[in-house]
Amino acid sequence: LFFSCKPEKEPRHLNLPKTDLTQADLIPKPSTTKATYSAFPLDQFTTIHTAPDSSGFNNVALFLADKLKDLTQLRVPVNTEFTNQESVIYIHHSDSLSKINQESYFLKINKDSIVLSAASATAAFRGIQTLRQLVPAKASDSIIDYPVWPIPSGSINDSPLFAYRGAMLDVARHFFNVEEVKKYIDLLAYYKYNILHLHLTDDQGWRIEIKSWPKLTEISGVTEVGSEPGDFYTQEDYKIIVEYAAQNHITIIPEVDMPGHTNAASVAYPILNGNGKTPKIYRGTHVGFSTFDTHKDTVYTFIDDVVREISAITPGPYFHIGGDESHVTKKNDYIYFVNKVEKLVQRYDKIMIGWDEIVTADIDTTSVAQFWSSTDNAKIAVAKNLRIIMSPANKAYLDMKYDLESEYGLNWAGYVPVDTAYIWKPESYKNIPQENILGIEAPLWSETISTITELEYLAFPRAIGFAELNWSQPENRDWENYKVRLGNQAPFLEKMNVNYYPSPLIEWK
Ligand code: TNX
């Protein structure tokens, strides 16, 4: 049906349908895949059908229709009264899957239907990403007079290894606007990420409007690293990001870094640093020189207001307090501060996350440590039985240069070429037990990047590898096999206008 019958002439130019589902270029690699060596014809007769009573599933179906239109120009109707019983994509909730894992899904691709069974709307959304990746970039050559995109038949059973699959973006050193963050979200969602952590404040700038402390953004919202002006999100902007992330089943985690990394806050309100001096605006890239006065009541009133205002517009369960590199805060003051701020965050019903230094305070087991450099802190975290987010700088930092030639990035943790970023085992790293690990988060610090093009150069393709480490079972991960699938992401990345780094380790399609 799909291919024309003149292969004797120039068969190499024929765009024949791929029918082996096990050889599809899926990233992350699903848990199990079985091929039945036929195909579902996605074409002008295809419709999507879902349980209309559940808005979550209906939205996932509309999302799929929208992406199919981008890919194929087809307008695939959702939940119309269809008379056609063929070429239907069914999306529905499965009780039995929801007992296994809230994000697991089962995709059954037949010749006349596709059935996506999902534990939740979120799981359906993950399954939809798999389906998007299975649609061929071009329609098949066919003897029929309308285009057909054959989707290889078979079945996929899939669920994530880790529940927390994160990326972090530093919008403080350089600002990235709402549209740029949305584009990053689009790309992360395609690879089944579910967390975007925004590093909203640092020495160089304060990026989120706080209505009760307006000078934060009036004064420190407009500076950044280098000589260009900065910018900030109004609370309305932030809500737009949160909402867009939610449509992509991604949770936003806000970070207000403290007690160090707070020069910008103290420039706006000098009372916060307690040394009686008004600090200067800082546009450099050194770290570790600023601190809040940890013994002043006003400081905690300030933090209370900040946490309250941001928590009120953050539906996700987490609030990140930073806590890193407070080199000029006395050890005891640091501990006192973190202990107090943890209670404050909890009062607004949020779970506290902090960089690994926070484990030196007396924190609760409900709080989460983000391991980035100190193995001693990682040991303490394990001893305290904390949940740990894995961000080891020498593997997971997207701001490390790929190699000597990289135009952007830093190298304090070493060079991180595409293979180094992929070839490690987050589930058995530095004696951190798997039970303690929530998942990997890949931070992108922005000292050396100021445009979305530069952001994309550092994040891609490495962020795609972390997606696989976070989602796929260890036995399904293999560099040689991954390399081929990664090379085949080029058409998608180009279509999305992503300025990925064309690593010479990869044969780009
Ligand atoms: C260390 S990682 C920092 C950041 C820098 C980053 C640059 C961490 C918790 N702190 O302030 O931006 O290195 O790679």
PDB file of all heavy atoms in Angstrom, residues 287-317:
ATOM      1  N   VAL A 287      32.298  34.243  42.718  1.00  0.00           N
ATOM      2  CA  VAL A 287      31.246  33.761  43.632  1.00  0.00           C
ATOM      3  C   VAL A 287      31.755  33.833  45.066  1.00  0.00           C
ATOM      4  O   VAL A 287      32.956  33.959  45.308  1.00  0.00           O
ATOM      5  CB  VAL A 287      30.850  32.294  43.315  1.00  0.00           C
ATOM      6  CG1 VAL A 287      30.250  32.181  41.919  1.00  0.00           C
ATOM      7  CG2 VAL A 287      32.040  31.351  43.471  1.00  0.00           C
ATOM      8  N   GLY A 288      30.830  33.780  46.007  1.00  0.00           N
ATOM      9  CA  GLY A 288      31.209  33.565  47.401  1.00  0.00           C
ATOM     10  C   GLY A 288      31.558  34.806  48.208  1.00  0.00           C
ATOM     11  O   GLY A 288      32.139  34.691  49.285  1.00  0.00           O
ATOM     12  N   PHE A 289      31.203  36.008  47.729  1.00  0.00           N
ATOM     13  CA  PHE A 289      31.602  37.217  48.459  1.00  0.00           C
ATOM     14  C   PHE A 289      30.458  37.894  49.208  1.00  0.00           C
ATOM     15  O   PHE A 289      30.673  38.828  49.964  1.00  0.00           O
ATOM     16  CB  PHE A 289      32.249  38.235  47.494  1.00  0.00           C
ATOM     17  CG  PHE A 289      31.328  38.686  46.391  1.00  0.00           C
ATOM     18  CD1 PHE A 289      30.466  39.763  46.582  1.00  0.00           C
ATOM     19  CD2 PHE A 289      31.307  38.013  45.169  1.00  0.00           C
ATOM     20  CE1 PHE A 289      29.599  40.169  45.566  1.00  0.00           C
ATOM     21  CE2 PHE A 289      30.438  38.414  44.159  1.00  0.00           C
ATOM     22  CZ  PHE A 289      29.582  39.490  44.359  1.00  0.00           C
ATOM     23  N   SER A 290      29.217  37.451  48.979  1.00  0.00           N
ATOM     24  CA  SER A 290      28.079  38.156  49.585  1.00  0.00           C
ATOM     25  C   SER A 290      27.381  37.273  50.613  1.00  0.00           C
ATOM     26  O   SER A 290      27.434  36.041  50.537  1.00  0.00           O
ATOM     27  CB  SER A 290      27.081  38.539  48.479  1.00  0.00           C
ATOM     28  OG  SER A 290      26.681  37.377  47.775  1.00  0.00           O
ATOM     29  N   THR A 291      26.735  37.920  51.583  1.00  0.00           N
ATOM     30  CA  THR A 291      25.899  37.159  52.520  1.00  0.00           C
ATOM     31  C   THR A 291      24.821  38.052  53.121  1.00  0.00           C
ATOM     32  O   THR A 291      24.995  39.269  53.234  1.00  0.00           O
ATOM     33  CB  THR A 291      26.720  36.523  53.660  1.00  0.00           C
ATOM     34  OG1 THR A 291      25.848  35.692  54.455  1.00  0.00           O
ATOM     35  CG2 THR A 291      27.357  37.564  54.574  1.00  0.00           C
ATOM     36  N   PHE A 292      23.708  37.419  53.508  1.00  0.00           N
ATOM     37  CA  PHE A 292      22.714  38.102  54.333  1.00  0.00           C
ATOM     38  C   PHE A 292      23.240  38.122  55.762  1.00  0.00           C
ATOM     39  O   PHE A 292      24.049  37.266  56.146  1.00  0.00           O
ATOM     40  CB  PHE A 292      21.384  37.332  54.333  1.00  0.00           C
ATOM     41  CG  PHE A 292      20.529  37.550  53.106  1.00  0.00           C
ATOM     42  CD1 PHE A 292      19.538  36.618  52.783  1.00  0.00           C
ATOM     43  CD2 PHE A 292      20.676  38.669  52.306  1.00  0.00           C
ATOM     44  CE1 PHE A 292      18.725  36.800  51.671  1.00  0.00           C
ATOM     45  CE2 PHE A 292      19.861  38.864  51.192  1.00  0.00           C
ATOM     46  CZ  PHE A 292      18.891  37.922  50.884  1.00  0.00           C
ATOM     47  N   ASP A 293      22.731  39.071  56.549  1.00  0.00           N
ATOM     48  CA  ASP A 293      22.972  39.071  57.990  1.00  0.00           C
ATOM     49  C   ASP A 293      22.000  38.041  58.585  1.00  0.00           C
ATOM     50  O   ASP A 293      20.784  38.249  58.595  1.00  0.00           O
ATOM     51  CB  ASP A 293      22.692  40.470  58.548  1.00  0.00           C
ATOM     52  CG  ASP A 293      22.935  40.538  60.043  1.00  0.00           C
ATOM     53  OD1 ASP A 293      23.022  39.473  60.690  1.00  0.00           O
ATOM     54  OD2 ASP A 293      23.020  41.667  60.560  1.00  0.00           O
ATOM     55  N   THR A 294      22.537  36.944  59.058  1.00  0.00           N
ATOM     56  CA  THR A 294      21.675  35.819  59.465  1.00  0.00           C
ATOM     57  C   THR A 294      21.023  36.029  60.834  1.00  0.00           C
ATOM     58  O   THR A 294      20.254  35.191  61.282  1.00  0.00           O
ATOM     59  CB  THR A 294      22.487  34.517  59.520  1.00  0.00           C
ATOM     60  OG1 THR A 294      23.568  34.718  60.437  1.00  0.00           O
ATOM     61  CG2 THR A 294      23.028  34.156  58.150  1.00  0.00           C
ATOM     62  N   HIS A 295      21.396  37.146  61.520  1.00  0.00           N
ATOM     63  CA  HIS A 295      20.833  37.354  62.857  1.00  0.00           C
ATOM     64  C   HIS A 295      19.847  38.507  62.924  1.00  0.00           C
ATOM     65  O   HIS A 295      19.442  38.903  64.012  1.00  0.00           O
ATOM     66  CB  HIS A 295      21.961  37.542  63.879  1.00  0.00           C
ATOM     67  CG  HIS A 295      22.642  36.239  64.146  1.00  0.00           C
ATOM     68  ND1 HIS A 295      22.130  35.291  65.010  1.00  0.00           N
ATOM     69  CD2 HIS A 295      23.758  35.695  63.600  1.00  0.00           C
ATOM     70  CE1 HIS A 295      22.917  34.229  65.009  1.00  0.00           C
ATOM     71  NE2 HIS A 295      23.912  34.447  64.151  1.00  0.00           N
ATOM     72  N   LYS A 296      19.483  39.039  61.771  1.00  0.00           N
ATOM     73  CA  LYS A 296      18.583  40.193  61.804  1.00  0.00           C
ATOM     74  C   LYS A 296      17.140  39.777  61.504  1.00  0.00           C
ATOM     75  O   LYS A 296      16.878  39.081  60.520  1.00  0.00           O
ATOM     76  CB  LYS A 296      19.059  41.198  60.751  1.00  0.00           C
ATOM     77  CG  LYS A 296      18.532  42.590  60.992  1.00  0.00           C
ATOM     78  CD  LYS A 296      19.099  43.555  59.977  1.00  0.00           C
ATOM     79  CE  LYS A 296      20.390  44.184  60.478  1.00  0.00           C
ATOM     80  NZ  LYS A 296      21.209  44.694  59.402  1.00  0.00           N
ATOM     81  N   ASP A 297      16.208  40.203  62.331  1.00  0.00           N
ATOM     82  CA  ASP A 297      14.794  39.853  62.140  1.00  0.00           C
ATOM     83  C   ASP A 297      14.281  40.294  60.768  1.00  0.00           C
ATOM     84  O   ASP A 297      13.511  39.575  60.126  1.00  0.00           O
ATOM     85  CB  ASP A 297      13.921  40.515  63.218  1.00  0.00           C
ATOM     86  CG  ASP A 297      14.100  39.839  64.561  1.00  0.00           C
ATOM     87  OD1 ASP A 297      14.663  38.714  64.577  1.00  0.00           O
ATOM     88  OD2 ASP A 297      13.713  40.427  65.584  1.00  0.00           O
ATOM     89  N   THR A 298      14.714  41.511  60.358  1.00  0.00           N
ATOM     90  CA  THR A 298      14.253  42.030  59.065  1.00  0.00           C
ATOM     91  C   THR A 298      14.567  41.062  57.932  1.00  0.00           C
ATOM     92  O   THR A 298      13.792  40.940  56.978  1.00  0.00           O
ATOM     93  CB  THR A 298      14.960  43.374  58.749  1.00  0.00           C
ATOM     94  OG1 THR A 298      15.045  44.115  59.956  1.00  0.00           O
ATOM     95  CG2 THR A 298      14.240  44.140  57.681  1.00  0.00           C
ATOM     96  N   VAL A 299      15.695  40.384  58.051  1.00  0.00           N
ATOM     97  CA  VAL A 299      16.088  39.443  56.997  1.00  0.00           C
ATOM     98  C   VAL A 299      15.042  38.318  56.889  1.00  0.00           C
ATOM     99  O   VAL A 299      14.638  37.930  55.793  1.00  0.00           O
ATOM    100  CB  VAL A 299      17.512  38.884  57.261  1.00  0.00           C
ATOM    101  CG1 VAL A 299      17.818  37.704  56.339  1.00  0.00           C
ATOM    102  CG2 VAL A 299      18.547  39.990  57.076  1.00  0.00           C
ATOM    103  N   TYR A 300      14.577  37.850  58.046  1.00  0.00           N
ATOM    104  CA  TYR A 300      13.596  36.752  58.008  1.00  0.00           C
ATOM    105  C   TYR A 300      12.202  37.253  57.615  1.00  0.00           C
ATOM    106  O   TYR A 300      11.428  36.510  57.004  1.00  0.00           O
ATOM    107  CB  TYR A 300      13.601  35.988  59.345  1.00  0.00           C
ATOM    108  CG  TYR A 300      14.959  35.321  59.547  1.00  0.00           C
ATOM    109  CD1 TYR A 300      15.927  35.914  60.353  1.00  0.00           C
ATOM    110  CD2 TYR A 300      15.294  34.164  58.843  1.00  0.00           C
ATOM    111  CE1 TYR A 300      17.189  35.348  60.498  1.00  0.00           C
ATOM    112  CE2 TYR A 300      16.556  33.600  58.971  1.00  0.00           C
ATOM    113  CZ  TYR A 300      17.502  34.188  59.790  1.00  0.00           C
ATOM    114  OH  TYR A 300      18.750  33.635  59.907  1.00  0.00           O
ATOM    115  N   THR A 301      11.908  38.512  57.945  1.00  0.00           N
ATOM    116  CA  THR A 301      10.647  39.101  57.463  1.00  0.00           C
ATOM    117  C   THR A 301      10.689  39.160  55.935  1.00  0.00           C
ATOM    118  O   THR A 301       9.729  38.807  55.243  1.00  0.00           O
ATOM    119  CB  THR A 301      10.466  40.549  58.005  1.00  0.00           C
ATOM    120  OG1 THR A 301      10.665  40.509  59.403  1.00  0.00           O
ATOM    121  CG2 THR A 301       9.106  41.100  57.662  1.00  0.00           C
ATOM    122  N   PHE A 302      11.835  39.617  55.447  1.00  0.00           N
ATOM    123  CA  PHE A 302      12.044  39.693  53.991  1.00  0.00           C
ATOM    124  C   PHE A 302      11.866  38.313  53.348  1.00  0.00           C
ATOM    125  O   PHE A 302      11.095  38.149  52.394  1.00  0.00           O
ATOM    126  CB  PHE A 302      13.466  40.235  53.737  1.00  0.00           C
ATOM    127  CG  PHE A 302      13.938  40.109  52.311  1.00  0.00           C
ATOM    128  CD1 PHE A 302      13.549  41.029  51.347  1.00  0.00           C
ATOM    129  CD2 PHE A 302      14.781  39.059  51.931  1.00  0.00           C
ATOM    130  CE1 PHE A 302      13.991  40.905  50.029  1.00  0.00           C
ATOM    131  CE2 PHE A 302      15.226  38.932  50.620  1.00  0.00           C
ATOM    132  CZ  PHE A 302      14.827  39.863  49.673  1.00  0.00           C
ATOM    133  N   ILE A 303      12.559  37.322  53.904  1.00  0.00           N
ATOM    134  CA  ILE A 303      12.495  35.975  53.299  1.00  0.00           C
ATOM    135  C   ILE A 303      11.068  35.424  53.368  1.00  0.00           C
ATOM    136  O   ILE A 303      10.578  34.801  52.428  1.00  0.00           O
ATOM    137  CB  ILE A 303      13.505  35.026  53.978  1.00  0.00           C
ATOM    138  CG1 ILE A 303      14.932  35.538  53.731  1.00  0.00           C
ATOM    139  CG2 ILE A 303      13.357  33.591  53.447  1.00  0.00           C
ATOM    140  CD1 ILE A 303      16.000  34.842  54.557  1.00  0.00           C
ATOM    141  N   ASP A 304      10.393  35.695  54.478  1.00  0.00           N
ATOM    142  CA  ASP A 304       9.013  35.249  54.616  1.00  0.00           C
ATOM    143  C   ASP A 304       8.148  35.824  53.488  1.00  0.00           C
ATOM    144  O   ASP A 304       7.380  35.099  52.843  1.00  0.00           O
ATOM    145  CB  ASP A 304       8.479  35.682  55.990  1.00  0.00           C
ATOM    146  CG  ASP A 304       7.184  34.973  56.335  1.00  0.00           C
ATOM    147  OD1 ASP A 304       6.137  35.380  55.808  1.00  0.00           O
ATOM    148  OD2 ASP A 304       7.235  33.997  57.106  1.00  0.00           O
ATOM    149  N   ASP A 305       8.298  37.103  53.228  1.00  0.00           N
ATOM    150  CA  ASP A 305       7.523  37.742  52.153  1.00  0.00           C
ATOM    151  C   ASP A 305       7.848  37.132  50.785  1.00  0.00           C
ATOM    152  O   ASP A 305       6.957  36.866  49.978  1.00  0.00           O
ATOM    153  CB  ASP A 305       7.821  39.253  52.103  1.00  0.00           C
ATOM    154  CG  ASP A 305       7.202  40.004  53.286  1.00  0.00           C
ATOM    155  OD1 ASP A 305       6.219  39.490  53.857  1.00  0.00           O
ATOM    156  OD2 ASP A 305       7.717  41.090  53.626  1.00  0.00           O
ATOM    157  N   VAL A 306       9.140  36.931  50.567  1.00  0.00           N
ATOM    158  CA  VAL A 306       9.577  36.395  49.271  1.00  0.00           C
ATOM    159  C   VAL A 306       9.036  34.971  49.078  1.00  0.00           C
ATOM    160  O   VAL A 306       8.457  34.642  48.032  1.00  0.00           O
ATOM    161  CB  VAL A 306      11.123  36.423  49.173  1.00  0.00           C
ATOM    162  CG1 VAL A 306      11.606  35.632  47.966  1.00  0.00           C
ATOM    163  CG2 VAL A 306      11.633  37.864  49.106  1.00  0.00           C
ATOM    164  N   VAL A 307       9.193  34.152  50.102  1.00  0.00           N
ATOM    165  CA  VAL A 307       8.736  32.757  49.981  1.00  0.00           C
ATOM    166  C   VAL A 307       7.213  32.717  49.842  1.00  0.00           C
ATOM    167  O   VAL A 307       6.675  31.953  49.038  1.00  0.00           O
ATOM    168  CB  VAL A 307       9.211  31.911  51.192  1.00  0.00           C
ATOM    169  CG1 VAL A 307       8.636  30.494  51.123  1.00  0.00           C
ATOM    170  CG2 VAL A 307      10.736  31.855  51.244  1.00  0.00           C
ATOM    171  N   ARG A 308       6.529  33.570  50.583  1.00  0.00           N
ATOM    172  CA  ARG A 308       5.066  33.581  50.507  1.00  0.00           C
ATOM    173  C   ARG A 308       4.586  34.004  49.117  1.00  0.00           C
ATOM    174  O   ARG A 308       3.761  33.333  48.505  1.00  0.00           O
ATOM    175  CB  ARG A 308       4.487  34.539  51.571  1.00  0.00           C
ATOM    176  CG  ARG A 308       2.969  34.740  51.479  1.00  0.00           C
ATOM    177  CD  ARG A 308       2.392  35.562  52.630  1.00  0.00           C
ATOM    178  NE  ARG A 308       3.236  36.689  53.018  1.00  0.00           N
ATOM    179  CZ  ARG A 308       3.351  37.828  52.324  1.00  0.00           C
ATOM    180  NH1 ARG A 308       2.642  38.006  51.235  1.00  0.00           N
ATOM    181  NH2 ARG A 308       4.160  38.780  52.732  1.00  0.00           N
ATOM    182  N   GLU A 309       5.144  35.109  48.612  1.00  0.00           N
ATOM    183  CA  GLU A 309       4.680  35.593  47.299  1.00  0.00           C
ATOM    184  C   GLU A 309       4.990  34.594  46.180  1.00  0.00           C
ATOM    185  O   GLU A 309       4.158  34.362  45.297  1.00  0.00           O
ATOM    186  CB  GLU A 309       5.302  36.966  46.977  1.00  0.00           C
ATOM    187  CG  GLU A 309       4.699  38.092  47.792  1.00  0.00           C
ATOM    188  CD  GLU A 309       5.000  39.473  47.196  1.00  0.00           C
ATOM    189  OE1 GLU A 309       5.093  39.588  45.954  1.00  0.00           O
ATOM    190  OE2 GLU A 309       5.142  40.433  47.981  1.00  0.00           O
ATOM    191  N   ILE A 310       6.165  34.025  46.221  1.00  0.00           N
ATOM    192  CA  ILE A 310       6.514  33.078  45.136  1.00  0.00           C
ATOM    193  C   ILE A 310       5.741  31.771  45.297  1.00  0.00           C
ATOM    194  O   ILE A 310       5.247  31.203  44.315  1.00  0.00           O
ATOM    195  CB  ILE A 310       8.044  32.829  45.081  1.00  0.00           C
ATOM    196  CG1 ILE A 310       8.783  34.136  44.737  1.00  0.00           C
ATOM    197  CG2 ILE A 310       8.381  31.755  44.038  1.00  0.00           C
ATOM    198  CD1 ILE A 310      10.298  34.031  44.724  1.00  0.00           C
ATOM    199  N   SER A 311       5.606  31.311  46.537  1.00  0.00           N
ATOM    200  CA  SER A 311       4.868  30.049  46.749  1.00  0.00           C
ATOM    201  C   SER A 311       3.420  30.167  46.283  1.00  0.00           C
ATOM    202  O   SER A 311       2.850  29.205  45.765  1.00  0.00           O
ATOM    203  CB  SER A 311       4.900  29.642  48.227  1.00  0.00           C
ATOM    204  OG  SER A 311       6.225  29.353  48.602  1.00  0.00           O
ATOM    205  N   ALA A 312       2.848  31.351  46.454  1.00  0.00           N
ATOM    206  CA  ALA A 312       1.446  31.549  46.079  1.00  0.00           C
ATOM    207  C   ALA A 312       1.219  31.380  44.575  1.00  0.00           C
ATOM    208  O   ALA A 312       0.104  31.081  44.151  1.00  0.00           O
ATOM    209  CB  ALA A 312       0.985  32.937  46.521  1.00  0.00           C
ATOM    210  N   ILE A 313       2.270  31.551  43.780  1.00  0.00           N
ATOM    211  CA  ILE A 313       2.103  31.395  42.328  1.00  0.00           C
ATOM    212  C   ILE A 313       2.890  30.192  41.792  1.00  0.00           C
ATOM    213  O   ILE A 313       3.130  30.070  40.599  1.00  0.00           O
ATOM    214  CB  ILE A 313       2.496  32.702  41.573  1.00  0.00           C
ATOM    215  CG1 ILE A 313       3.883  33.191  42.003  1.00  0.00           C
ATOM    216  CG2 ILE A 313       1.453  33.790  41.818  1.00  0.00           C
ATOM    217  CD1 ILE A 313       4.365  34.423  41.233  1.00  0.00           C
ATOM    218  N   THR A 314       3.276  29.318  42.711  1.00  0.00           N
ATOM    219  CA  THR A 314       4.015  28.105  42.334  1.00  0.00           C
ATOM    220  C   THR A 314       3.220  26.880  42.761  1.00  0.00           C
ATOM    221  O   THR A 314       3.217  26.528  43.943  1.00  0.00           O
ATOM    222  CB  THR A 314       5.414  28.088  43.015  1.00  0.00           C
ATOM    223  OG1 THR A 314       6.121  29.268  42.629  1.00  0.00           O
ATOM    224  CG2 THR A 314       6.202  26.851  42.635  1.00  0.00           C
ATOM    225  N   PRO A 315       2.530  26.218  41.833  1.00  0.00           N
ATOM    226  CA  PRO A 315       1.738  25.056  42.237  1.00  0.00           C
ATOM    227  C   PRO A 315       2.580  23.827  42.614  1.00  0.00           C
ATOM    228  O   PRO A 315       2.121  22.973  43.358  1.00  0.00           O
ATOM    229  CB  PRO A 315       0.875  24.756  41.000  1.00  0.00           C
ATOM    230  CG  PRO A 315       1.523  25.486  39.862  1.00  0.00           C
ATOM    231  CD  PRO A 315       2.318  26.607  40.440  1.00  0.00           C
ATOM    232  N   GLY A 316       3.805  23.745  42.130  1.00  0.00           N
ATOM    233  CA  GLY A 316       4.658  22.585  42.430  1.00  0.00           C
ATOM    234  C   GLY A 316       5.005  22.508  43.906  1.00  0.00           C
ATOM    235  O   GLY A 316       4.874  23.487  44.638  1.00  0.00           O
ATOM    236  N   PRO A 317       5.458  21.333  44.357  1.00  0.00           N
ATOM    237  CA  PRO A 317       5.676  21.121  45.796  1.00  0.00           C
ATOM    238  C   PRO A 317       6.997  21.675  46.353  1.00  0.00           C
ATOM    239  O   PRO A 317       7.181  21.669  47.562  1.00  0.00           O
ATOM    240  CB  PRO A 317       5.663  19.594  45.929  1.00  0.00           C
ATOM    241  CG  PRO A 317       6.113  19.081  44.605  1.00  0.00           C
ATOM    242  CD  PRO A 317       5.615  20.076  43.582  1.00  0.00           C
TER     243      PRO A 317
END
